[in-house]
Amino acid sequence: MRIAVTIFLTDETITPVRLARELERRGFAGLYLPEHTHIPVERTTPYPAGGDLPPEYGRTLDPFVALGQAAAVTERLGLGTGITLVAQHDPIALAKQIATLDHLSGGRFTLGLGFGWNVEEAADHGVEWRTRRELVRDRMALMRALWAEEPTAYEGEFGSVRASSAYPKPVRKPRGPVVGPRTLVGGAAGPKLFSHICEYADGWMPIGGRGLTESLPVLRAAWADAGRDPAALRIVPYAVFPSPGKLAHYADLGIEEVVAQLPPAGEAEVLRALDEYAEYV
């Protein structure tokens, strides 16, 4: 099983360059980074995990800049987002960022995307909360048009783009309805989420990995109903605290990659955690 990691990289933690080098040296599969542009102080949205919002949420580095640094000092390490808040981006600019990082890293990028939880953060980006999922779907379609091999126009509910010359292209070739880098959708199990996965993604990035025994058969049935190749579905549990029993359970479910959670800490603490996780690599 491939073991990747995720961490809230901030202005106070280990640096992307140092972490990436240590991950590749130890044989880890990848580095996934979360995204928050800002956290409004006057916030009414509760923290999904309960309690006070940890301070690192308001200090995160831009994931694409940090992953660009990581790409420059590694050769094999996978690079991903967990997650990109697609609704909070201009899709034309985001398509360029993603394609550039994927091109410069030799196709090592995974786009983990989601719909967000912080209403106030999204509102500052002009996002209407009740339609955010439809907005993400629309922006993904627009980006696929820009990543297409031939100039392709797109006219959607929330945005449009003319048929354009748009390079570089993501390294991975189109597969079924999916165009662009490896794409995983994060979020809680349910018919709306599974419809997004089946329409434009390679698989699911379930946070914490709980309840997969019940939810995976439902997703696999929806995937088959959508005409997707059963062997192509990827499930990547995210922000997991690994243990031998947990990893064995995932393996029994056919899961081949897990993203372990690192502490948002300085170099010494993070490297200690890497040494503990290295037994699973």
Side-chain angles (χ1 to χ4, degrees), residues 5-10 12-15 18-19 22-23 26 28 56 241 261-278:
V5 302
T6 184
I7 181 175
F8 279 86
L9 285 181
T10 76
E12 298 178 325
T13 66
I14 188 172
T15 67
R18 177 71 166 136
L19 177 58
E22 292 297 328
L23 288 170
R26 288 169 166 83
F28 283 88
E56 59 266 21
F241 292 96
Q261 180 71 60
L262 290 173
E267 185 171 306
E269 185 175 347
V270 169
L271 294 184
R272 280 197 298 272
L274 286 185
D275 288 338
E276 292 178 7
Y277 290 166

Side-chain angles (χ1 to χ4, degrees), residues 208-261:
R210 294 178 181 174
L212 290 177
T213 301
E214 296 75 28
S215 57
L216 273 187
V218 180
L219 173 56
R220 284 171 173 151
W223 186 267
D225 289 344
R228 304 291 302 273
D229 177 4
L233 178 62
R234 296 291 175 260
I235 310 296
V236 182
Y238 186 79
V240 169
F241 292 96
S243 68
K246 192 178 293 185
L247 296 180
H249 172 61
Y250 292 152
D252 289 342
L253 294 174
I255 291 169
E256 298 176 346
E257 180 182 358
V258 172
V259 182
Q261 180 71 60

